[in-house]
Amino acid sequence: MGGLQHSLDIAMFVVVCVVLLAGYPVAFTLAGVALVFGVIGYLAGVFDLSFFLAFPQRIFGTMTNEVLVAVPLFVFMGVMLERSRVAEELLETMGRLFGKMRGGLGISVTIVGMLLAASTGIVGATVVTMGLLSLPTMLRYGYSPRLATGAIAASGTLGQIIPPSIVLVILGDQLSNAYQKAQLDMGIFSPETVSVGDLFAGALIPGLVLVGMYLVYQVFMAIVKPETSPAMPAADTGDVGVGKILHALLPPILLIVAVLGSILAGVATPTEAAAVGAIGAILLAGYRLDETRPWPVYIAGLSLIGVLVLTGFMDLRVARTEIPTADMVGIWVAAAFCVGIAYGLLISLLRVYGGDVLVPVMQTTTQITAMVFVILIGAALFSLVFRGLGGEEMVHQALQGMPGGALGAMIAVMLLMFFLGFFLDFLEIVFVVVPLVAPILLTLEMPDGGTMSPVWLGIMMAVNLQTSFLTPPFGFALFYLRGVAPASVKTMDIYRGIIPFVFIQLIALIVLWYMPALATWLPSVVYN
């Protein structure tokens, strides 16, 4: 009986991969294959149909999960910023600033990719924008097509590891459930939790290290092979004034500080910070559409900062029986700030609506959010059937039997995720693989006698998943770049160009393996 169950589990996973490679929609593939194998298992007498009774509860739990509310908010923020032409000004300014040195255009692309990652987190929008604006310029000044396309594609994927990241939000939700399950399996009935904020803090340093490695590689190429990344002529760069630099850098940096700063300072949860980011993106878009009348946006921006400061120092809850005088004054001041925010927000919304920006942003946000949640529902049904067929026990036995104990199991999981990244999107891997392997990995004993850090595990997975955007044949960053690259750039140039950057990501993974404090130190300082 057990052998038949395990055979069905393996066949189920293989069929899902084959059907996905055939091009069928992800959510319907996961749910459809699960239903088919559930019926086959029932007819074979190895699956109980009562497992399906838990499916409505899974859907209800997903729809009422406050953490996942951050997904549409961060998507909205990213798409709105992409439409407000922040990236264009950043690329132009950074290109002129660094273009005088060899490799300067590639360095500017990486820095802009980092800033866009920390303010938008949308890989597709970042790669397409930089591909449209930077690639023709880099090619015109004699850059190697391989180096240019590799730098753009790799920098565009930084949004998957540098917070705020949709991957980290989804991964944090899955790891939180897995960590609590692992502790319950170990007999800990008052389990600790791991939050999205923990992963945001844990990913910050590894993300910056990865950016540094990209920059080092491009400087190395400029020294060793200067013909691959020549400098721009001085006549084309001109003088970039401080005012121009501040005009380009200040808005995204303020938004980054508002979102990440509020999370790391403990003022807001990631979901609340996502709402702050969405409001900030609307204000920034409203400002960019009419810079001749900036005061409504200035008032709203200063009011938003004021509310965040008050929240950090005062208790602004009104649903209390007794409110001290100082808190009451703070509440009235916060109310005045909220009026200022509402005023600037209303003006900005009218501008983005009149500028034909709001409707496309809402449509794109709805499409992406619906895709994520439908995939999540399909993955929930897949995991139910997989567990009902004894798949969890099979995975547990396989990981426990790995040579090297917990570290050997971890290496096997990392290799599996890296291999799946060649063929599957990060969403399928997070929703299908992580719930199966994470609870088991978090119960295994490490060489020091403790258990694995969930934050370290999450960041290792996030860096690994970042490679799925770059690895052919189904790396989405490659598709985005191919769609906007000039005809003179061959597809093989793009594929060859990303190879060094994939190796850099793998080196970063190895560094993180031997130096887990890169991921665990900042969360321990911020959240104790």
Side-chain angles (χ1 to χ4, degrees):
M1 189 73 73
L4 179 58
Q5 281 185 318
H6 293 168
S7 298
L8 287 175
D9 278 324
I10 296 172
M12 183 179 174
F13 200 84
V14 171
V15 169
V16 161
C17 293
V18 171
V19 176
L20 287 175
L21 291 177
Y24 286 92
V26 176
F28 304 123
T29 296
L30 292 172
V33 171
L35 288 173
V36 169
F37 275 83
V39 172
I40 293 174
Y42 172 72
L43 295 176
V46 295
F47 180 77
D48 190 349
L49 292 180
S50 62
F51 274 91
F52 287 131
L53 298 177
F55 186 54
Q57 297 176 351
R58 291 284 186 95
I59 297 178
F60 182 77
T62 298
M63 296 298 105
T64 56
N65 190 337
E66 292 186 5
V67 173
L68 295 178
V69 175
V71 172
L73 292 173
F74 278 133
V75 171
F76 178 88
M77 180 181 76
V79 179
M80 181 64 78
L81 285 177
E82 185 261 332
R83 296 275 181 165
S84 63
R85 304 180 67 179
V86 173
E88 294 182 26
E89 188 176 12
L90 275 174
L91 283 168
E92 179 187 354
T93 305
M94 293 296 103
R96 292 174 61 188
L97 185 63
F98 291 100
K100 299 175 183 179
M101 56 184 291
R102 286 202 302 263
L105 286 176
I107 291 172
S108 67
V109 162
T110 301
I111 293 175
V112 171
M114 175 188 68
L115 292 173
L116 292 179
S119 55
T120 66
I122 307 297
V123 169
T126 304
V127 172
V128 169
T129 302
M130 294 198 300
L132 284 171
L133 299 177
S134 293
L135 185 56
T137 303
M138 298 172 81
L139 296 176
R140 185 168 66 251
Y141 287 111
Y143 260 69
S144 162
R146 297 180 186 178
L147 182 60
T149 55
I152 291 173
S155 301
T157 63
L158 289 171
Q160 296 304 293
I161 185 63
I162 295 180
S165 162
I166 304 299
V167 171
L168 294 177
V169 173
I170 298 172
L171 192 58
D173 177 66
Q174 297 294 319
L175 276 177
S176 176
N177 298 329
Y179 190 40
Q180 293 190 35
K181 184 178 185 302
Q183 292 176 91
L184 292 174
D185 291 342
M186 291 187 292
I188 303 173
F189 297 106
S190 56
E192 298 177 358
T193 59
V194 57
S195 67
V196 174
D198 291 323
L199 290 190
F200 276 10
L204 196 55
I205 294 177
L208 295 177
V209 168
L210 189 59
V211 171
M213 295 173 72
Y214 285 172
L215 294 175
V216 168
Y217 169 71
Q218 292 185 74
V219 171
F220 172 79
M221 289 297 294
I223 296 173
V224 176
K225 293 185 177 181
E227 70 278 4
T228 62
S229 50
M232 293 174 62
D236 293 344
T237 56
D239 293 327
V240 184
V242 176
K244 178 71 173 176
I245 296 173
L246 290 178
H247 189 270
L249 288 178
L250 201 56
I253 288 177
L254 287 177
L255 191 61
I256 293 167
V257 171
V259 175
L260 287 183
S262 60
I263 296 173
L264 298 180
V267 175
T269 65
T271 302
E272 294 165 346
V276 172
I279 292 175
I282 294 173
L283 295 176
L284 181 55
Y287 170 75
R288 287 298 172 87
L289 288 173
D290 189 358
E291 295 190 25
T292 60
R293 294 180 292 175
W295 284 109
V297 178
Y298 288 166
I299 292 171
L302 293 173
S303 299
L304 183 60
I305 295 173
V307 170
L308 291 174
V309 171
L310 282 176
T311 304
F313 292 98
M314 306 182 75
D315 187 352
L316 302 182
R317 294 174 300 164
V318 296
R320 291 181 284 167
T321 55
E322 295 183 4
I323 303 177
T325 304
D327 285 350
M328 181 59 71
V329 172
I331 289 171
W332 281 107
V333 174
F337 283 149
C338 288
V339 172
I341 295 172
Y343 168 65
L345 193 60
L346 176 62
I347 299 299
S348 297
L349 283 172
L350 290 174
R351 290 178 184 176
V352 295
Y353 179 76
D356 197 25
V357 172
L358 184 61
V359 173
V361 169
M362 294 295 292
Q363 289 174 339
T364 303
T365 302
T366 303
Q367 291 170 354
I368 295 176
T369 304
M371 177 194 70
V372 171
F373 279 87
V374 171
I375 291 175
L376 179 55
I377 292 172
L381 182 58
F382 182 89
S383 65
L384 272 177
V385 175
F386 191 82
R387 285 190 169 96
L389 290 171
E392 188 173 16
E393 179 185 353
M394 179 184 68
V395 173
H396 195 284
Q397 292 175 352
L399 291 179
Q400 279 191 325
M402 287 288 171
L407 295 181
M410 179 69 169
I411 292 174
V413 169
M414 288 292 106
L415 290 174
L416 173 65
M417 294 178 71
F418 179 72
F419 174 75
L420 291 176
F422 281 82
F423 309 102
L424 303 180
D425 185 22
F426 76 93
L427 285 173
E428 296 98 271
I429 299 174
V430 170
F431 288 145
V432 175
V433 177
V434 174
L436 294 176
V437 301
I440 302 166
L441 289 175
L442 293 172
T443 60
L444 298 178
E445 185 176 345
M446 297 287 283
D448 60 3
T451 55
M452 195 175 295
S453 165
V455 174
W456 178 69
L457 174 62
I459 303 307
M460 288 285 290
M461 288 180 168
V463 175
N464 198 341
L465 287 170
Q466 188 183 351
T467 62
S468 68
F469 278 88
L470 295 178
T471 47
F474 296 105
F476 281 90
L478 309 182
F479 292 157
Y480 297 140
L481 189 56
R482 176 67 276 175
V484 298
S488 59
V489 177
K490 300 177 181 178
T491 302
M492 193 54 64
D493 289 331
I494 299 176
Y495 281 1
R496 290 177 178 174
I498 56 91
I499 292 175
F501 292 93
V502 172
F503 277 110
I504 290 173
Q505 291 178 347
L506 294 178
I507 293 171
L509 202 60
I510 295 171
V511 170
L512 192 57
W513 174 276
Y514 286 104
M515 300 177 65
L518 290 174
T520 58
W521 175 77
L522 188 57
S524 67
V525 171
V526 174
Y527 299 109
N528 195 24

